[in-house]
Amino acid sequence: MKRLLMLAALTLGTASAAPFVYPAAWFTENPANAKPGGEFRTYSISDYKTLNPFTSAEADSLPILMGSSAGLFSQDPTSGDFLPYMADALPTISNNGKRFVVKLRPGMKFSDGQAITADDWVTTYKIHIDDKVGSNTRDSFFLNEKPITVKKIDDNTLQFDFPQVSAGAYGIMSYTPWPDHVFGPVYTKSGAEGIKAMWGLSTAPASIVSPGAWTLGSYQPGQRAVLKKNPNYGEWVKDSAGKPLPYLDTYSSRIVKDDNAALAAYLSGQLDSYGARNADDLAQIKKAIDGGNLKSTLVANVSPNATSQWITFNWNRSGDPFKQKLFREAKFRQAMSHLVNRPAMIQLALGGLGTAVYTGVYPVFKNYQFADTPKFEYDLAAATKLLSDIGFKKKNAAGYLVDASGKELAFTLSTNSGNSVREQLGRIFADEAKKVGVKVNFTPIDFNNLVDQLTAKGANRPFDAILLGLSGGDNIWPYGNNVIPCGTNLHSYNNPDNGACLTPQETLMTKLYYQGDQTLDAAARQKIGQQLSKVEGQLQAVVYLVGTNFHVVYNTRLGGEYKRDLWDAYYGSRPGTALTTYIK
């Protein structure tokens, strides 16, 4: 955590029912000039999987878009301090920093007009922690396998009890509250199976109830999703001029076949923002701007991105003992890291605009990048030596390495089709692997199928290797609570039914993760992070590739961005889900 001293909320009116107010000092333009109405137009390169907030795992899923603007606390982009958001004030803390009593901001309502109360947080918590539901958020509510508990004191008061002190407590408490009056009766009657059957893609939009800025307006599979403004949200979230947020009426997402189709739509003025991938994207956008064909703001290389790309090998492959043994061998994974031509990936896939990555900490978190982290850099000779050490000394007639029994060194690597950067990264890796005699069958597949494979549990999970990326995390303790500890949902390489660690290094990483989380002093926490990164780098359980740079690209018809000195990949260039965006 950057600081433990919290700031008071910035509010208007009386203390008893004051809204949260976005300070004018954060923004480039005077919010008094913001116009209400209009539509923000963005895109997705894969179709949506569900409307259910308890079963979705994708970073840009519709439940996340609807609910990410709701939570007890929010970080101040000027300082990193936490501000009360849905909380009415900072919590009362007791029990040696392990108990937090939080008063809720009065007057909050869901999109259907029902009051938001403590019951909504408690029910949401109960559903998330039910292992049979399979929530991606479940791991957030456990520290060292001990549960955080959430208790209702009264309709407007919550009590959180942590099993140990946690530097990430405010972030953990800031989960989205979903409506008890919708999910509670189903959970009481039908349990996890009832919850998993709710809010599929065929659910009528009028049945979707949101606590955040947006709720579902319409959804056309394979074509478009439209979110509409939740007018009740603006009763407790306002700009500094007293106007309700969001300003916009709608937030639409066009479903496109790939990144190139999204770029074409942006260049033709059909989208309001675009996630530029590389120098070629930026050059095309700049050419359109210079030629007078596009009115766009373009700021390249604002910061490293809060994402990374990686390859994970499946240790739970009991149906193929040869591959299971291979993937569990550290020297094999270190050899695979030596095959990653990160300079070529940065130049060819990212146009020279990126960063080599060797651990799960995103490059934007500079305080957790350490010089002594082991780095198995691009080195074909070193890869060949490591593979020889584990028995792959000869090649067959096709030029591929074989072991003493003649078994060929081959595996399938999958990524999500339509993501042109990942497809190019995969091809580069496969080409380099072939140079030393490793056969990589590179196969892009549907994103939702890929996620299902990645998150599968058991002794024989259905993949060899997957190339993907993660986003999210925070700047307080930037190691994923559902990634590093054994048994968590995105501990992607080893996810057996019992969640057990397989190696001493995994056990040590789990220990260091929780030790760092309960260390409140920032400098001491960084030293623990340094130890954790060293173990992670040596184990190479996940082979990290490259991180993109954060480029800000948006149509000049948009207003509502932060001041330029606040921009980075963590806070973005404006509050998320177009909350303060308006049409000029």
Side-chain angles (χ1 to χ4, degrees), residues 508-521:
L508 178 56
M509 287 165 60
T510 299
K511 177 183 176 181
L512 290 171
Y513 173 82
Y514 290 116
Q515 183 181 341
D517 180 65
Q518 68 182 110
T519 301
L520 301 185
D521 179 78

Side-chain angles (χ1 to χ4, degrees), residues 205-392:
S207 300
I208 304 300
V209 179
S210 170
W214 306 102
T215 189
L216 187 64
S218 63
Y219 168 67
Q220 296 170 283
Q223 298 182 49
R224 191 168 183 250
V226 178
L227 304 181
K228 64 179 182 179
K229 176 166 62 177
N230 169 13
N232 296 322
Y233 184 83
E235 293 181 8
W236 64 272
V237 181
K238 299 182 183 295
D239 69 10
S240 59
K243 296 196 293 291
L245 295 175
Y247 303 117
L248 298 167
D249 291 329
T250 55
Y251 179 112
S252 67
S253 179
R254 174 188 294 194
I255 299 163
V256 296
K257 66 177 182 178
D258 56 27
D259 287 310
N260 293 326
L263 176 59
Y266 183 75
L267 292 172
S268 65
Q270 299 175 54
L271 299 175
D272 288 315
S273 67
Y274 177 70
R277 301 161 291 176
N278 50 38
D280 183 63
D281 283 358
L282 297 172
Q284 290 190 59
I285 295 168
K286 187 176 187 303
K287 181 179 179 181
I289 295 170
D290 292 346
N293 299 314
L294 178 66
K295 295 181 178 180
S296 174
T297 295
L298 187 160
V299 182
N301 300 311
V302 172
S303 76
N305 235 327
T307 62
S308 62
Q309 310 301 312
W310 39 260
I311 295 173
T312 186
F313 293 92
N314 180 11
W315 295 9
N316 315 117
R317 207 73 172 99
S318 62
D320 191 331
F322 170 79
K323 287 181 179 176
Q324 177 166 279
K325 181 180 178 181
L326 180 69
F327 297 158
R328 291 184 180 186
E329 172 57 60
K331 285 189 175 182
F332 165 76
R333 300 189 303 274
Q334 292 166 0
M336 295 302 99
S337 185
H338 278 311
L339 295 179
V340 178
N341 192 340
R342 294 174 180 86
M345 288 179 172
I346 291 170
Q347 288 301 318
L348 298 176
L350 307 180
L353 308 178
T355 306
V357 179
Y358 296 93
T359 74
V361 176
Y362 308 138
V364 69
F365 301 130
K366 296 178 182 179
N367 290 340
Y368 284 86
Q369 306 297 322
F370 307 106
D372 63 350
T373 298
K375 298 177 176 66
F376 295 88
E377 298 176 303
Y378 177 61
D379 188 332
L380 297 182
T384 300
K385 173 65 168 58
L386 286 168
L387 294 173
S388 176
D389 288 348
I390 60 173
F392 294 95

Side-chain angles (χ1 to χ4, degrees), residues 74 214 290 311 335 421 494 500 529 550:
S74 181
W214 306 102
D290 292 346
I311 295 173
V421 169
N494 177 33
F550 177 54

Side-chain angles (χ1 to χ4, degrees), residues 54 67 69-73 84-88 102-110 114-129 137 141 148-160 170-181 183-184 211-212 236:
F54 298 103
S69 52
L72 288 173
F73 306 100
Y85 201 67
M86 296 185 86
D88 194 40
V102 183
K103 290 285 187 181
L104 303 182
R105 191 178 295 277
M108 299 184 296
K109 297 177 183 177
F110 286 103
Q114 292 290 314
I116 298 175
T117 72
D119 289 319
D120 303 305
W121 272 269
V122 173
T123 295
T124 298
Y125 158 79
K126 288 179 179 178
I127 296 172
H128 276 310
I129 66 169
T137 304
F141 296 107
I148 298 162
T149 61
V150 184
K151 177 182 177 182
K152 171 185 175 181
I153 302 299
D154 58 42
D155 282 351
N156 296 306
T157 311
L158 290 161
Q159 178 178 299
F160 294 83
Y170 285 83
I172 292 169
M173 291 187 289
S174 298
Y175 62 94
T176 300
W178 293 96
D180 169 68
H181 65 277
F183 290 98
W236 64 272

Side-chain angles (χ1 to χ4, degrees), residues 3-204:
R3 298 181 189 173
L4 290 177
L5 178 64
M6 306 300 165
L7 299 179
L10 299 167
T11 57
L12 293 173
T14 63
S16 60
F20 180 88
V21 174
Y22 276 85
W26 293 0
F27 300 96
T28 300
E29 298 160 327
N30 186 344
N33 299 326
K35 301 175 183 178
E39 176 184 359
F40 175 78
R41 305 163 301 169
T42 188
Y43 65 95
S44 173
I45 62 169
S46 61
D47 207 347
Y48 296 104
K49 187 176 180 181
T50 183
L51 302 175
N52 191 320
F54 298 103
T55 61
S56 63
E58 303 77 35
D60 61 349
S61 69
L62 290 174
I64 288 177
L65 291 175
M66 289 187 286
S68 62
S69 52
L72 288 173
F73 306 100
S74 181
Q75 277 184 281
D76 181 339
T78 68
S79 66
D81 292 321
F82 281 90
L83 302 173
Y85 201 67
M86 296 185 86
D88 194 40
L90 298 175
T92 300
I93 305 174
S94 60
N95 192 23
N96 298 314
K98 294 185 289 185
R99 172 168 289 176
F100 299 79
V101 175
V102 183
K103 290 285 187 181
L104 303 182
R105 191 178 295 277
M108 299 184 296
K109 297 177 183 177
F110 286 103
S111 57
D112 66 353
Q114 292 290 314
I116 298 175
T117 72
D119 289 319
D120 303 305
W121 272 269
V122 173
T123 295
T124 298
Y125 158 79
K126 288 179 179 178
I127 296 172
H128 276 310
I129 66 169
D130 186 336
D131 190 41
K132 294 179 181 178
V133 172
S135 168
N136 192 48
T137 304
R138 181 181 186 273
D139 301 317
S140 301
F141 296 107
F142 291 82
L143 298 178
N144 218 359
E145 300 183 357
K146 297 177 182 178
I148 298 162
T149 61
V150 184
K151 177 182 177 182
K152 171 185 175 181
I153 302 299
D154 58 42
D155 282 351
N156 296 306
T157 311
L158 290 161
Q159 178 178 299
F160 294 83
D161 284 292
F162 284 68
Q164 63 188 45
V165 172
S166 173
Y170 285 83
I172 292 169
M173 291 187 289
S174 298
Y175 62 94
T176 300
W178 293 96
D180 169 68
H181 65 277
V182 174
F183 290 98
V186 175
Y187 188 59
T188 299
K189 180 180 179 181
S190 304
E193 292 305 313
I195 294 298
K196 289 191 289 185
M198 296 182 70
W199 286 18
L201 292 176
S202 61
T203 301

